[in-house]
Amino acid sequence: PPEEKTAFAAAVRAMLARMNQPAEGLIAQKDLARQALTNPRFEGLHPGLRADFRALANEYGALDKKVPPFFSPVLVHGDCTGENLLAEKVGNEFSLRLIDFADCCIAPCWYELPPVTFELFREDPLLVQAYIGEASPAEFLERLIWGLALHDFGGDILKGFFARRGIDPGSVDSVTALYRLLAKHF
């Protein structure tokens, strides 16, 4: 029911907010830009979209140590999917536990958005809206696209979305086209 979806999404948001705290020095920081620039999982996407994702990776890689808050590095799980989240409903609330921290790293908090949006929530607009709360849809989409561009599994996550929606992965030729497609859906 909608009220349970809303409560579940809010519980996921609260759990990740508790986790997504500054933690530099506790674990190794991935070179997200290099990872994105050499990521074979983007193969099969339109060359124009891959070029746009590389441009975002280069922009991210060019940031100096004094990054704006939007890019502030925090501890992220990186793989918050249905396979890695144990959920139990207790009364009207959800008790959540994350497992499998193999993809945990230091990254901006929006690195969590692709697996949460596409794998955990399976693009359900009600779950996504409840998760983003007061954030503007434009801000959410911008961060989601940054997350896709830099996420180690961003290409696979996006191809999974395209397959579920019957979209030819070669037909989305740019970040602008991807933004428009996602804006229609969400």
Side-chain angles (χ1 to χ4, degrees), residues 30-122:
K30 286 183 181 180
D31 185 343
L32 296 177
R34 192 183 86 226
Q35 170 184 283
L37 289 169
T38 60
N39 193 334
R41 293 183 177 100
F42 290 114
E43 293 300 320
L45 297 176
H46 189 282
L49 180 58
R50 290 194 325 259
D52 285 355
F53 279 165
R54 280 193 301 277
L56 289 175
N58 280 321
E59 185 177 336
Y60 182 79
L63 292 173
D64 63 18
K65 296 292 181 195
K66 295 179 180 142
V67 297
F70 173 68
F71 291 102
S72 294
V74 295
L75 179 65
V76 296
H77 183 272
D79 196 18
C80 185
T81 63
E83 295 84 22
N84 294 329
L85 183 67
L86 304 175
E88 177 182 14
K89 189 166 184 224
V90 180
N92 290 331
E93 296 184 15
F94 286 90
S95 172
L96 305 177
R97 302 284 185 267
L98 278 171
I99 60 172
D100 187 359
F101 286 79
D103 295 309
C104 186
C105 65
I106 302 296
C109 63
W110 39 260
Y111 190 82
E112 303 278 24
L113 288 177
V116 168
T117 301
F118 294 105
E119 300 297 324
L120 180 62
F121 293 161
R122 291 291 183 175

